[in-house]
Amino acid sequence: CTDMVYFLSEISFLSAVIGMIVVGVCTISLEYVMRIGYKWIFLKLHRGEITYFGDIFLPFAQVGKILVIAICIWIMKLPFLVLQELDRLVYINMIIALILTIGASVAVAYISLMFILTNYIMYDQKELGIIATMKRSAELMKGQKWNCFILLLSFFFWYLLVLVTCSIAFLWVAPYIETTMANFYDDLLWQEQQA
């Protein structure tokens, strides 16, 4: 009888853990897709298009594509993310650990910058497939990664303000940052048309 109770308690614990994982993954996916809708709203506002609150749900029409692209980018970053944590997993010299961490951080930043425009491209070119969307972002960011990095770095003090105000300033900072990124994307499109 005690074995049966023990067995049932393990099953209920396992099902609770699985349930929490499923809820966590669904919540993170929902938040990620809605964050893309938030970006699309500011892209539309920047372009002078009529925008509604419900536009935040527009990306759900491409939810599969959005999540697969996010997973692909994460998989590309994974080896470097593991490399960043290597010094915690294995005992290695501090200098080597520092060099590995810096190198891995640069690689992660490079990959992130290469695909930073995928969210905007999915709005403009819904017909593109997953690989084509990622290639289009890499193509637009060719020679622009450093400019984008400097642009993102210029928001450092804004993020510091958000931190100091316990995220209250984010209500004003986030629209500014999203509009700036939408402008950066449209500027790259304009430069491409001129060339």
Side-chain angles (χ1 to χ4, degrees), residues 98-139:
L98 181 65
I99 291 170
L100 285 175
T101 301
I102 291 171
S105 298
V106 168
V108 167
Y110 184 85
I111 292 168
S112 297
L113 289 170
M114 185 184 308
F115 300 114
I116 199 167
L117 301 178
T118 55
N119 300 327
Y120 300 112
I121 293 166
M122 282 187 280
Y123 175 76
D124 280 341
Q125 299 176 315
K126 295 170 180 61
E127 72 281 354
L128 289 181
I130 293 165
I131 302 297
T133 301
M134 293 173 73
K135 280 184 181 178
R136 179 78 175 119
S137 177
E139 181 182 290

Side-chain angles (χ1 to χ4, degrees), residues 60-79:
F60 283 96
Q62 302 181 57
V63 70
K65 179 176 167 183
I66 288 169
L67 294 177
V68 169
I69 287 175
I71 291 168
C72 288
I73 294 170
W74 183 78
I75 288 171
M76 282 187 233
K77 293 178 189 178
L78 187 61

